[in-house]
Each structure stands twice: as structure tokens, then as C-alpha cells.
Amino acid sequence: MTTASRLRDPSIGHRFVASDGAALHLSTSGPADSAVTLVLVHGWTQDHRTWDFVLPHLDPGVRVLRYDLRGHGGSAHARRGSATIARLADDLAEIIADRVPEGPLVLAGHSMGGMTLMVLAERHPALVRERLAGAAFVATSSGDMDQLTLGFPGLVGRGVTRFEPRVARLLARLKADTLRLRPTMVRSGARRLVFGDRPGRAQVDSVVEQLLSAHPASAGMFLDAIAAHRGVGGLGALCDVPSVVLAGEKDRLCPLAHAKVIADELPHAEFVRFPGAGHMLPQERPFEVARRISALVRVAATR
């Protein structure tokens, strides 16, 4: 985390041990007696710092819980067999039961975090029915990620689709705790692949720092889990929950068409498109993301 990010982030770090023994890093901010708790879930190869640029724009009177998914950031590596979206959904349910046992919840998930929310709804319907008062799906997908082309047409796009499983297998075999890549090289790739028009240096650096902190083998196994993800069933359980679907029009990883599928499954959701933005909406459009999430929190507080 950069010095600027630390100054903006008044959160306190904690540890939570999941039912299978995996230790997860948690970060909380805001008053413990807040009427609503907001839980922010990050995406693949990132960690709780994904939300660093959003946090300052949220109401300081709201309790916010962020955490690092297993295999990411300060959390334990994902053991073989545990790098699944279902396990992430169970982790989230366990964290809520332990750290936020009462009161309304608003959940926001970016990318793989949004997929986690969909599977949470499918695996833990009582939690959704009794506690969930708002859901934000930020640059995410409900399926067909195994057909990813990164926006390239024709043969190139089909080549990307065939190449991704090989990348997953390569990462899954790595023994190192982190990717030993030069930050300058990663920065150039991240700028082109996951951002839209004219990203700021601090935003790109944040994404790179998080990626280089992720566990490579865990990332590879989760890449397979993302390819296999099918979240439409979970979306059906969320039809009556106030929701918002946020999408960057230049998102190469979770294209606009994927966001449209989610919005169509949630007939009462607000669907917001951001021209010129890519996949990293929490970095690229932090004020707008915070504004839409805050609107859900305000509605939840009146229920």
C-alpha cells in the first residue's frame, strides 16, 4: 500500500480462521454500532486494497468490512481443492456469521468478488433472505468466462480462449510465494489489459502491487474456477434485493455484454455503464462506484 493510501485508510486489521483452517486477513473501519454493515469483496489477483480509492468517498458513519480472499494479499494460500468460488462464498458466509452476526448487510463485489456474491446467494439463501439489503456487482460476470477473448476478434480471440487454460496450469505449478516479475513489465501489461482510457499512475501502481502480492499457484487454480463459474442460479435468489450493476464500456476481462446478462436477471437493478472505463472500476471511477454503493446503504438503513 502506498503512503497516500495508508493516510486515506483508517481501518484496523484482524485475522479470521475459516472452518477449513485457512487464515484470512480482515480490515474494518467505521463505527461498530452502524445501522448497516458494508462488506467489500475484491477480485482475482487483487486484495482488500482494491477499495482504497473508494473508501474515502463512502459515508464515514458506515461500518465497512474488507478482507483478502484466500490466496490473495495477507491471507493464507489456497490449498488444492479449496480454490473454488463455492469456497469463497462459504468463507464470506462464515466471516459474516462471526464478525457481523446481526443487522442489515450491503455486499459489493468486484470481478471474482461479484461472482462470490452470486454463489453466496445460491449456497446460503437464508442469509440473503434474512440479512441482505443491497448488492453491487462491479465489473463482473455470471458465466462464459471460458470463452474470454480479451476483446480480440477472429483467430486472435480464439487463440486467447485456448491459451488461458495453459496459463492457469502454468501458474498452478509454480512453487514461489509471489510472482517474480519486474513491476515495470507488469505495469505496462496492466495498463493495457485491465484499464480503460488514461488511467492514473497511482491507480495502475495499486493494481500492480496487489497482483505481485498474490500467490501464483492459488491464482492459477482460481483462474480455472472463474472459467467454470456459472452464477445465473444465484442471481435468481437476488431478484428482490436492491441492486446495482456497474460496467466499464472498455472492460476486456468482464465485457459489457456479461454485465448486461446480470442486469437482465435482476429486473429491478440499476445498470450503469461507464464510457472509457475498463475492468478496474474501483480505481478508475472510485467516486461513482462509492456513490452507487452509498445509495444502497442509505436504502438499507431505512428498511
Side-chain angles (χ1 to χ4, degrees), residues 77-91:
H77 300 168
R79 300 169 185 165
R80 189 160 296 278
S82 74
T84 66
I85 309 298
R87 180 65 249 190
L88 295 183
D90 292 346
D91 286 345

Side-chain angles (χ1 to χ4, degrees), residues 145-150 155-171 223-224:
M145 292 295 287
D146 53 342
Q147 302 300 313
L148 190 68
T149 66
L150 300 181
L155 287 174
V156 176
R158 289 193 290 274
V160 170
T161 301
R162 290 194 296 270
F163 185 62
E164 185 178 302
R166 299 180 187 178
V167 173
R169 289 194 295 271
L170 174 64
L171 288 171
L223 194 56
D224 278 337

Side-chain angles (χ1 to χ4, degrees), residues 1 39 42 80 116 151 192-193 196 199 206 221 223 245 270-271:
M1 185 184 299
V39 184
H42 68 80
R80 189 160 296 278
T116 300
R192 288 171 172 76
L193 182 61
S206 173
M221 291 185 288
L223 194 56
V245 180
E270 180 186 13
F271 183 29

Side-chain angles (χ1 to χ4, degrees), residues 1-11 52 55-56:
M1 185 184 299
T2 64
T3 300
S5 296
R6 286 196 296 269
L7 290 174
R8 288 195 302 270
D9 181 3
S11 60
D52 276 356
L55 197 66

Side-chain angles (χ1 to χ4, degrees), residues 50-155:
T50 287
W51 305 99
D52 276 356
F53 295 92
V54 173
L55 197 66
H57 302 295
L58 297 172
D59 183 347
V62 173
R63 184 187 184 199
V64 179
L65 189 156
R66 301 181 287 164
Y67 66 102
D68 295 345
L69 303 176
R70 56 179 62 211
H72 297 74
S75 290
H77 300 168
R79 300 169 185 165
R80 189 160 296 278
S82 74
T84 66
I85 309 298
R87 180 65 249 190
L88 295 183
D90 292 346
D91 286 345
L92 177 54
E94 290 177 12
I95 289 170
I96 289 171
D98 186 77
R99 300 303 169 97
V100 198
E102 298 179 343
L105 298 163
V106 171
L107 306 180
H110 173 248
S111 193
M112 189 168 72
M115 300 175 194
T116 300
L117 303 192
M118 298 173 205
V119 179
L120 176 79
E122 193 165 19
R123 292 174 66 85
H124 301 275
L127 173 61
V128 170
R129 185 172 59 251
E130 298 167 9
R131 303 280 310 281
L132 190 58
F137 296 95
V138 185
T140 188
S141 173
S142 63
D144 291 334
M145 292 295 287
D146 53 342
Q147 302 300 313
L148 190 68
T149 66
L150 300 181
F152 293 106
L155 287 174

